[in-house]
């Protein structure tokens, strides 16, 4: 796969990573290129590695490139893997924070357009899955297939107020007690268990941007999730192959229920993935193999 790159210029006020030109790094015997792309109101730090069909990874929560790094390594023998920090997170600076998922979807669209003229594969998880679905609705010509892992589509729930209430409670904890307390409660509500990880997975030290990234999520992204209205008819009639997915250990979670309801809207079966809500972080090797299995792309030799 031959990629095109169009790094731009600009600046921002949210996000603490340096603005830099393209740079190459050797990781696991493969070259990873890191660069930034100017989009309206932001600069998106992104990485590209591997060979094969383009596969965009959209992380959830307050995560970005660092969280998908192990997963990207396990996919790079089969795909040209693209990871990025959403606007306002880590290396993606912005002076116009995203207040809607449409903004994140347009960022993803511009990033893909800067890299390839062909439809890409997309894996999104949690908030990233909502971004992937919005991208698919708005720009189906850019997406060949999408895996939406536990998207918090609150308005698909039989009682949307319950899901909305959960998010409002996290936001209220943030205002009353701060980001750390809010995220502890948020993670507990999603059953996130770092102990449920692959035995050879190295520990991840919190990055210097962790607190700021959490604040961006809690200030802008959770309200955007609450307000978001999915277009089920557009997705059901889309030419794009859409795979609704959920963690095999997430059956008790409301996000699993959202994924199951999405599968019902699409008329497809719910695909299960290793681990729980954050399985891509804690079980990257198994998640990579499952992504490959679901997408059905042949391994390169």
């Amino acid at each position: 796969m031959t990629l095109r790159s169009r790094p731009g210029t600009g600046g921002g006020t949210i996000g603490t990573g340096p603005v830099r030109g393209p740079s190459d790094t050797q990781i696991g015997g493969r070259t990873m290129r890191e660069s930034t792309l100017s989009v309206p109101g932001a600069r998106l730090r992104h990485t590209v590695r591997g060979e094969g069909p383009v596969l965009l990874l959209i992380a959830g929560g307050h995560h970005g490139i660092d969280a998908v790094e192990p997963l990207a390594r396990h996919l790079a023998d089969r795909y040209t893997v693209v990871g990025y920090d959403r606007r306002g997170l880590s290396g993606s600076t912005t002076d116009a924070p995203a207040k809607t998922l449409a903004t994140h979807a347009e960022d993803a669209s511009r990033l893909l357009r800067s890299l390839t003229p062909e439809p890409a594969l997309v894996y999104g998880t949690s908030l990233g899955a909502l971004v992937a679905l919005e991208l698919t609705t708005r720009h189906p010509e850019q997406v060949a297939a999408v895996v939406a892992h536990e998207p918090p589509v609150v308005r698909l729930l039989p009682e949307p107020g319950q899901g909305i209430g959960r998010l409002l409670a996290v936001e209220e904890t943030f205002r009353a007690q701060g980001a750390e307390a809010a995220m502890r409660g948020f993670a507990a509500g999603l059953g996130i268990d770092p102990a449920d990880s692959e035995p050879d997975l190295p520990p991840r030290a919190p990055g210097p941007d962790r607190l700021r990234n959490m604040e961006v999520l809690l200030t802008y992204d959770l309200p955007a999730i609450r307000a978001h209205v999915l277009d089920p008819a557009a997705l059901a009639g889309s030419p794009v192959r859409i795979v609704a997915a959920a963690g095999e250990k997430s059956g008790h979670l409301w996000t699993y229920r959202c994924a199951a309801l999405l599968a019902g809207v699409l008329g497809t079966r719910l695909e299960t993935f290793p681990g729980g809500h954050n399985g891509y972080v804690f079980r990257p090797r198994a998640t990579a193999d499952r992504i490959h299995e679901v997408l059905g792309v042949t391994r390169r030799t």
Side-chain angles (χ1 to χ4, degrees), residues 14-36:
I14 295 181
T16 58
V19 173
R20 66 186 73 182
S23 62
D24 291 350
T25 305
Q26 289 291 323
I27 299 179
R30 295 183 181 276
T31 300
M32 180 186 75
R33 166 155 286 207
E34 177 180 327
S35 53
T36 56

Side-chain angles (χ1 to χ4, degrees), residues 175-248:
R175 288 188 289 269
Q177 302 177 40
E180 294 280 3
M183 291 304 296
R184 281 195 299 271
F186 195 32
L190 292 173
I192 294 174
D193 180 12
D196 180 27
S197 63
E198 291 169 345
D200 58 346
L201 182 69
R204 286 180 62 236
D209 306 320
R210 178 173 175 269
L211 179 60
R212 182 57 192 156
N213 289 351
M214 291 191 298
E215 291 173 344
V216 170
L217 171 71
L218 295 164
T219 302
Y220 301 106
D221 289 328
L222 289 197
I225 292 172
R226 286 193 287 104
H228 184 63
V229 179
L230 192 72
D231 188 342
L235 292 176
S238 175
V240 178
R241 182 185 172 213
I242 303 171
V243 179
E248 61 190 4

